[in-house]
Amino acid sequence: MFKKITGLLIASACVSFTVNAQKPKYDYVIKKVTVFDGSGKDPVVAEVAIAGDTIAFFGKKIDHKYDAVKTINGKGLYLSPGFIDPH
């Protein structure tokens, strides 16, 4: 009897954990990356969050707590989203 109850409690805990687990909000967050926007303006250092195939956030700093599959340190790297090189 004790084994059945213990097994049931363990199974219940696993099911509860699986049901409550949520998919991360972003696939990638790139921090401190230099962004060229294609307008000809000077580049800016920003943070960019990507969810699927969409840029979900672009700005100086993500000011909310976020969950991402992978966070990338973009210091010294360049990013040019949203336009195609005509060369």
Side-chain angles (χ1 to χ4, degrees):
M1 177 75 171
F2 178 62
K3 288 182 182 181
K4 287 183 182 179
I5 293 173
T6 304
L8 181 61
L9 291 174
I10 291 172
S12 297
C14 291
V15 170
S16 295
F17 177 75
T18 304
V19 170
N20 292 332
Q22 293 180 350
K23 182 178 177 185
K25 184 173 184 176
Y26 304 125
D27 294 314
Y28 299 97
V29 171
I30 308 169
K31 299 173 133 308
K32 301 177 185 173
V33 66
T34 302
V35 179
F36 291 87
D37 67 2
S39 69
K41 295 179 183 177
D42 290 338
V44 296
V45 175
E47 293 187 359
V48 179
I50 301 165
D53 61 355
T54 303
I55 297 172
F57 176 86
F58 171 78
K60 288 286 182 185
K61 183 173 177 162
I62 297 177
D63 57 355
H64 58 276
K65 187 175 180 178
Y66 66 87
D67 187 21
V69 174
K70 182 165 179 124
T71 300
I72 300 167
N73 181 358
K75 189 173 183 176
L77 300 176
Y78 300 95
L79 182 64
S80 55
F83 66 95
I84 299 169
D85 183 2
H87 292 86

